[in-house]
């Protein structure tokens, strides 16, 4: 598939986690997707995805590669951010019951590995009004849930009464993995956030 220069360029944070799957899903959505490994890569993208992985490891790596502050600055200036699973934890304001550092970009409290051992991995149909009527096939892998939403946060989906998809302005977070679902509606929702911000590549 050729890359259309009029579409935005989405960065996938590529320090650890399911980067390849995110790159492939974005490309299926016909968007240019590139890896972001350092602050120079970050300057070349219009939006950022933080994938699934291991949140304590990625927080350490963000600090080691001096990417934490530049990401916070870009997102506070309006760059769209989407965190999936580990990415939701990294973006959250706080983690329940542990003193784990985060980037504090969306006003939620998350609980890690919240659905319990028996439910380490599950696929289920979720009803997500912003995506339309058809249920969304949500894949959960040692997923967090949302315990508290601040006043500016929209709760977009729940599983068994627990928040699993939220948005606050330019920041989207999902407990599950739409990049593995074969259904690109969450991608399109995120890309719509990006287009509505009026952010295009310099070539556009
Ligand atoms: N359990 C992981 C964490 O707490 C997240 C799992 C995932 O991203 N699939 O960091």
């Amino acid at each position: 598939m050729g890359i259309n220069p009029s579409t935005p360029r989405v960065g996938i944070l590529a320090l650890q986690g399911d980067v390849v799957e995110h790159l492939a899903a974005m490309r299926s959505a016909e968007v240019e997707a590139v890896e972001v490994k350092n602050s120079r890569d970050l300057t070349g993208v219009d939006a950022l995805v933080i994938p699934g992985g291991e949140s304590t490891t990625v927080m350490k790596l963000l600090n080691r590669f001096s990417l934490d502050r530049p990401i916070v600055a870009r997102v506070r200036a309006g760059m769209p951010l989407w965190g999936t699973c580990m990415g939701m934890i990294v973006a959250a304001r706080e983690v329940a019951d542990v003193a784990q550092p985060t980037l504090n970009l969306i006003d939620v409290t998350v609980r890690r590995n919240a659905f319990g051992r028996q439910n380490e991995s599950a696929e289920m149909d979720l009803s997500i009004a912003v995506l339309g009527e058809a249920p969304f096939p949500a894949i959960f892998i040692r997923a967090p849930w949302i315990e508290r939403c601040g006043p500016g946060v929209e709760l977009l989906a729940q599983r068994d009464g627990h928040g699993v998809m939220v948005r606050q302005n330019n920041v989207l977070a999902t407990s599950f993995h739409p990049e593995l679902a074969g259904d690109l509606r969450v991608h399109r929702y995120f890309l719509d956030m990006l287009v509505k911000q009026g952010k295009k590549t310099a070539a556009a």
Side-chain angles (χ1 to χ4, degrees):
M1 188 202 81
I3 287 168
N4 179 350
S6 71
T7 59
R9 184 184 293 139
V10 175
I12 312 296
L13 183 71
L15 302 179
Q16 186 262 341
D18 75 328
V19 177
V20 171
E21 292 80 356
H22 267 286
L23 288 169
M26 279 294 168
R27 288 169 185 161
S28 301
E30 307 208 344
V31 171
E32 184 180 353
V34 296
E35 293 188 357
V36 169
K37 292 189 163 163
N38 53 47
S39 57
R40 209 171 141 228
D41 296 341
L42 184 68
T43 59
V45 301
D46 301 297
L48 184 69
V49 173
I50 304 183
E54 169 55 42
S55 55
T56 49
T57 305
V58 165
M59 279 308 300
K60 282 185 202 142
L61 294 174
L62 281 168
N63 187 268
R64 186 178 309 159
F65 293 103
S66 303
L67 254 173
D68 42 4
R69 285 174 193 212
I71 290 174
V72 169
R74 284 288 308 273
V75 175
R76 295 233 161 104
M79 179 182 71
L81 173 73
W82 174 18
T84 62
C85 202
M86 170 272 274
M88 179 168 100
I89 300 166
V90 167
R93 179 169 173 178
E94 59 191 356
V95 181
D97 293 341
V98 281
Q100 176 171 333
T102 62
L103 297 183
N104 187 12
L105 291 168
I106 181 165
D107 186 12
V108 294
T109 303
V110 297
R111 181 171 295 277
R112 292 178 65 192
N113 305 314
F115 288 101
R117 288 197 147 234
Q118 282 147 324
N119 260 320
E120 279 213 329
S121 184
E123 178 171 350
M124 63 191 58
D125 284 345
L126 292 184
S127 146
I128 307 180
V130 292
L131 302 184
E133 274 199 9
F136 188 85
I139 297 173
F140 292 86
I141 304 167
R142 294 186 300 286
W145 73 39
I146 295 150
E147 291 215 345
R148 181 198 60 86
C149 285
V153 176
E154 293 171 74
L155 181 59
L156 300 176
Q158 298 187 56
R159 168 182 166 189
D160 304 329
H162 301 287
V164 292
M165 178 171 173
V166 278
R167 174 178 177 182
Q168 183 172 21
N169 303 320
N170 56 323
V171 181
L172 177 69
T174 51
S175 298
F176 49 96
H177 291 267
E179 74 283 6
L180 303 177
D183 180 325
L184 293 170
R185 283 178 292 157
V186 183
H187 288 74
R188 298 219 169 87
Y189 179 82
F190 179 64
L191 296 169
D192 198 49
M193 285 168 56
L194 175 52
V195 169
K196 286 193 176 134
Q197 294 260 329
K199 305 262 164 150
K200 297 270 183 180
T201 60

